[in-house]
Structure formats: structure tokens, C-alpha cells
Amino acid sequence: MSTAVMSTASMNGTGSFTSGSFATGSFATGSVSAESRPSAAPRVRLRLTRRGRVVLTALVALPVVIGALVFALNGGVAAATGEQTHVTFHYVTVQSGDSLWSVAERLAPNADPRDVIADLVSLNGLESAVVTPGQQLAIPTQYDK
């Protein structure tokens, strides 16, 4: 078998040549300095102008803004169905001298009256806690006996 020998020559940083020989995959003679190795491709630095930064920022922010708008416009929409649920409430009539506190204590003696009043105000759409005699109040189902 014959042994292939390959010579290489490269230029170092000073303008002179260094040489080396390869014999069966290893260096037979000579040395290769760091200067004679081919260097990596020069690093290119990306430079953006002010206009380029504005365009890049707009392109990155555009999907975020569109997503926020879609969520804001569709996020609060309830899905309407063709089925209607019919809920019936029992009513209590406010007597002379009654307040929401006394009505709440009468409806749910074991519950906190503040919670019962909050439920009564919410269910009946009251703007204040003032009730008048003869007024009909719907009773929340959890307090209905």
C-alpha cells in the first residue's frame, strides 16, 4: 500500500508562509500556529436605524394589540341559546315598620343578615336599602323555605 502525503502551505498574519505535511492523517513535520488556521467568518453586526426600530416594534406589537382587541370585543359576550329557563320566585311583602334588616332576619334567621340584604338588593335591583310598606321583594332561592 502506498501512503499518501499531502503538503499544505498557508499564510500567517505576517505575510510569510508556514508549511506542514500530512502523513496518514497526522502531522509528520512542521507546526500550524493559531495565525495560520482559517478564521471564522467575520461577525456581522446588525444595525437598525431609528425607522427600522419603529417598524420592527410595530410588527412585534401588532399581533399583541390585535389579540387584545379581539379578546376585549368578544370576551364579555355571553353565548345565547334558544332555550329559556323559567325561574319562579316567592315574594314577601314589606310591612309597616319593616326594614331590609328585619326582612332578612325573618327570611334567614341563621344566616348573616348582611349577606341576605346584599342578595335581596341584587335580586330585586334596589338602588338603596330603603323599602316602603307594601313593596314586593323577590326572595333568593337559597332563603326560600
Side-chain angles (χ1 to χ4, degrees), residues 87-94 100 102-109 111 115-126 135-145:
V87 178
T88 57
F89 293 104
H90 290 96
Y91 291 88
V92 64
T93 303
V94 178
L100 276 180
S102 62
V103 171
E105 285 181 331
R106 193 169 58 232
L107 288 176
D115 294 334
V116 179
I117 290 172
D119 291 338
L120 285 170
V121 168
S122 174
L123 178 64
N124 291 288
L126 301 176
Q135 185 176 359
Q136 296 275 325
L137 296 176
I139 302 171
T141 55
Q142 69 261 30
Y143 305 119
D144 193 16
K145 295 178 186 174

Side-chain angles (χ1 to χ4, degrees), residues 94 98-101 117-118 121 126-132 135 137:
V94 178
D98 275 347
S99 65
L100 276 180
W101 190 274
I117 290 172
V121 168
L126 301 176
E127 297 193 15
S128 69
V130 177
V131 290
T132 57
Q135 185 176 359
L137 296 176

Side-chain angles (χ1 to χ4, degrees), residues 23-111:
T24 64
S26 63
F27 277 111
T29 60
S31 66
V32 177
S33 65
E35 295 172 355
S36 66
R37 286 189 214 140
S39 62
R43 191 170 201 195
V44 179
R45 183 169 180 215
L46 179 65
R47 292 184 182 208
L48 286 177
T49 61
R50 183 174 186 264
R51 180 178 171 196
R53 285 190 300 268
V54 168
V55 169
L56 185 63
T57 303
L59 288 175
V60 170
L62 188 64
V64 174
V65 171
I66 289 173
L69 286 173
V70 167
F71 180 74
L73 294 176
N74 293 330
V77 177
T81 62
E83 300 174 18
Q84 293 182 0
T85 56
H86 187 68
V87 178
T88 57
F89 293 104
H90 290 96
Y91 291 88
V92 64
T93 303
V94 178
Q95 303 297 321
S96 179
D98 275 347
S99 65
L100 276 180
W101 190 274
S102 62
V103 171
E105 285 181 331
R106 193 169 58 232
L107 288 176
N110 296 330

